[in-house]
Amino acid sequence: MPFRALIIDGDGSIALAVYFKNRKRWGNALQEPDIWNGPTMVNMRQRMLDLTRPLPDACLDCFGSFGV
């Protein structure tokens, strides 16, 4: 999901996917105007593309990232 969508709560808190929604540590869209290209999102996309690192269990079970 961090390649095509971003979860934004009413207070501006973002999440990388629905699974991570309750963890308000990713940043705030109201305080960071270019959060999509900010270090948190870029880092997560790089981590997901690194085939030497295992994906979190939530990512393995997510159909959203496969467009289903």
Side-chain angles (χ1 to χ4, degrees):
M1 293 304 291
F3 292 94
R4 63 184 177 133
L6 188 62
I7 308 300
I8 304 176
D9 284 343
D11 67 357
S13 296
I14 68 160
L16 304 177
V18 174
Y19 174 80
F20 300 114
K21 184 178 176 189
N22 294 329
R23 300 180 189 171
K24 297 184 182 235
R25 63 181 176 141
W26 306 107
N28 188 295
L30 300 175
Q31 299 168 357
E32 302 168 53
D34 192 21
I35 202 157
W36 183 257
N37 294 312
T40 300
M41 292 298 293
V42 170
N43 181 35
M44 187 59 174
R45 289 191 290 265
Q46 289 173 340
R47 290 182 63 183
M48 292 187 81
L49 291 172
D50 184 351
L51 300 178
T52 65
R53 299 176 77 166
L55 290 174
D57 290 341
C59 295
L60 295 174
D61 294 333
C62 179
F63 292 106
S65 58
F66 301 108
V68 176

